[in-house]
Amino acid sequence: MTSTQQRAALQRQIWQIANDVRGSVDGWDFKQYVLGTLFYRFISENFSNYIEGGDESIHYAKLPDDVITDDIKDDAIKTKGYFIYPSQLFCNVSANANKNESLNTDLAAIFSAIESSANGYPSEVDIKGLFADFDTTSNRLGNTVKDKNTRLAAVLKGVAGLDFGDFDSSHIDLFGDAYEFLISNYAANAGKSGGEFFTPQHVSKLIAQLAMHGQTSVNKIYDPAAGSGSLLLQAKKHFDAHIIEDGFFGQEINHTTFNLARMNMFLHNINYDKFNMMLGNTLTDPHFGDDKPFDAIVSNPPYSVKWIGSEDPTLINDERFAPAGVLAPKSKADFAFVLHALSYLSSKGRAAIVCFPGIFYRGGAEQKIRKYLVDNNTVETVISLAPNLFFGTTIAVNILVLSKHKTDTSTQFIDASGEDFFKKETNNNVMLDQHIDEIMIMFDSKDDVAHVAESVPYEKIAENDYNLSVSSYVEAKDTREVIDITKLNAELKTTVAKIDQLRSDIDSIVAEIDLPADRQENN
């Protein structure tokens, strides 16, 4: 099956599951059950494969629980980070789901057992609470136990029916594609914003390539507003995993999305000891201060979110913000995320950050921060993207690329907002690989391209009050019809001559009409 066929099959299956539970579970809540079940199936299959070790004579799912020794369990938890008994595996639970009258409570017990299996082990913090949003006893599933079990069985059966072979051999990102499909269908419901939680895969790919460009290896990659982890995982997907030496780091403020990010790491076979996801407010309670600097930073922070800013007098002395001499406005924390990323960036690395366009031209504190960034030669490139690339917003966002190892003081501006850099689809615009490749070629060369890319010297930016809007430096292509004046004048002369002749003919006719009758006869 090709990737397109797999993606279409996945969407059909998810939609069928949705139809089976429609009317009882809100679409946004339903998303959690599908993603949670996908995760449950994955870790079950992944764990079975680990125990079996490629020995075709061993079928872990068919073994009785009581043959599992404490040594086997201890070794598995130290390696995989968790333990699942044969009876707790997804395949065994889903096979009997329709007949299990205590399915909802059995699932709750299984999820609790998987999480608690890590207690006292190094993986405890990475496993704890993973299934917190998969509430099998919630009234959202129905008012009676029978209703709950019926809907849970439908989700289990639906996910069990996904036939893509092993997760690793699938041509698509099952979890990411399922998430993207669910968000595109449900994010608009009840005013929910999908863009807050998910960066589309095509945009993630561009950001990951920008952040890791030219680096044969990075110590680690970091996202200070990790969301579901999609940006971090693009680095793994498009680059050899071995060049990311010390793993994947991220912080996320939303608890549900934090759990999804951890699930996503496991789903992409990133072991618990190779990722570190933390819950909390990056701006006021940052983690990983002891782990910095990072050679690659990727981020799509929330646009113009409010933060405490100047109301906390200690923040102006924070090592992340102090060098700029000013804090980002309380009503717009965009540049607080930018300064945070810059502080965590290594001298050889790059940060690629999705930004709201307004921060590049507004005055006040934001102008002062831009001055600090430009004066210290940390802005490598600003890229404007097409509108309607993200779910839940039509904003044409920018990507800011920061670097601490620039070889000159110019700043590159790329206008990738035109129709040459995206494809129109039903609900959203998308960037294809060819569009990303074109952007990366320009980013790498730093060559000027008429109406698309311009490298601007420091002095010109300073004279322009540190305005970093792409439109201020890249002249838009004039799409108006070109008029040939010489040709137009010739046509006008011909037209005027024809009009003069017509007037002369009309005058002659009128003159004849006005003659007396006897004169007309003589004529």
Side-chain angles (χ1 to χ4, degrees), residues 312-318:
D312 182 349
T314 66
L315 285 175
I316 193 60
N317 297 315
D318 189 300

Side-chain angles (χ1 to χ4, degrees), residues 354-490:
V354 179
C355 296
F356 182 80
I359 71 170
F360 293 109
Y361 59 79
R362 290 191 296 240
E366 291 178 318
Q367 182 189 33
K368 293 177 181 177
I369 294 173
R370 292 196 304 271
K371 181 179 186 303
Y372 163 74
L373 295 173
V374 174
D375 284 351
N376 285 273
N377 202 30
T378 57
V379 181
E380 180 173 2
T381 302
V382 181
I383 305 171
S384 64
L385 299 182
N388 205 30
L389 290 174
F390 290 76
F391 298 113
T393 179
T394 60
I395 295 171
V397 301
N398 290 183
I399 297 177
L400 172 65
V401 183
L402 300 175
S403 170
K404 293 182 178 179
H405 59 274
K406 289 173 62 181
T407 56
D408 61 38
T409 58
S410 295
T411 297
Q412 183 188 39
F413 295 89
I414 298 176
D415 184 356
S417 63
E419 292 188 359
D420 291 339
F421 293 96
F422 69 91
K423 177 186 176 184
K424 290 184 178 180
E425 293 200 343
T426 305
N427 296 319
N428 286 84
N429 294 326
V430 298
M431 286 192 297
L432 305 180
D433 285 349
Q434 67 197 55
H435 303 137
I436 295 171
D437 291 343
E438 289 176 23
I439 294 171
M440 291 306 302
I441 289 171
M442 289 185 289
F443 176 74
D444 176 63
S445 71
K446 297 296 187 289
D447 291 339
D448 292 345
V449 179
H451 309 299
V452 178
E454 188 83 21
S455 288
V456 180
Y458 163 79
E459 293 78 12
K460 185 174 180 180
I461 296 174
E463 290 172 3
N464 198 22
D465 294 327
Y466 296 92
N467 186 318
L468 293 177
S469 294
V470 173
S471 60
S472 295
Y473 304 101
V474 179
E475 183 181 0
K477 187 175 183 180
D478 189 347
T479 58
R480 293 175 297 180
E481 182 182 358
V482 177
I483 298 173
D484 187 333
I485 299 298
T486 302
K487 182 179 179 182
L488 180 61
N489 283 335

Side-chain angles (χ1 to χ4, degrees), residues 226-290:
S228 64
S230 59
L231 278 170
L232 291 171
L233 291 165
Q234 282 297 331
K236 179 182 186 295
K237 186 174 182 179
H238 296 287
F239 300 88
D240 189 311
H242 293 296
I243 72 167
I244 303 174
E245 298 166 354
D246 298 321
F248 304 78
F249 294 72
Q251 184 166 345
E252 171 56 34
I253 194 171
N254 180 285
H255 191 276
T256 295
T257 320
F258 163 69
N259 284 337
L260 289 176
R262 291 190 295 161
M263 288 183 183
N264 223 348
M265 294 294 140
F266 282 109
L267 277 162
H268 287 79
N269 252 338
I270 299 175
N271 214 34
Y272 74 91
D273 58 345
K274 282 296 182 182
F275 75 83
N276 195 342
M277 301 297 301
M278 299 298 291
L279 179 67
N281 187 322
T282 297
L283 300 182
T284 58
D285 184 25
H287 292 276
F288 310 122
D290 294 335

Side-chain angles (χ1 to χ4, degrees), residues 33-73:
Y33 290 105
V34 173
L35 296 173
T37 304
L38 269 173
F39 176 67
Y40 175 36
R41 174 180 164 178
F42 170 80
I43 63 170
S44 294
E45 294 179 4
N46 188 271
F47 189 81
S48 294
N49 291 340
Y50 164 73
I51 295 292
E52 292 167 2
D55 188 339
E56 295 183 1
S57 66
I58 301 176
H59 299 283
Y60 184 66
K62 296 181 180 180
L63 295 177
D65 289 356
D66 57 15
V67 303
I68 307 300
T69 65
D70 289 341
D71 287 341
I72 292 175
K73 184 175 180 180

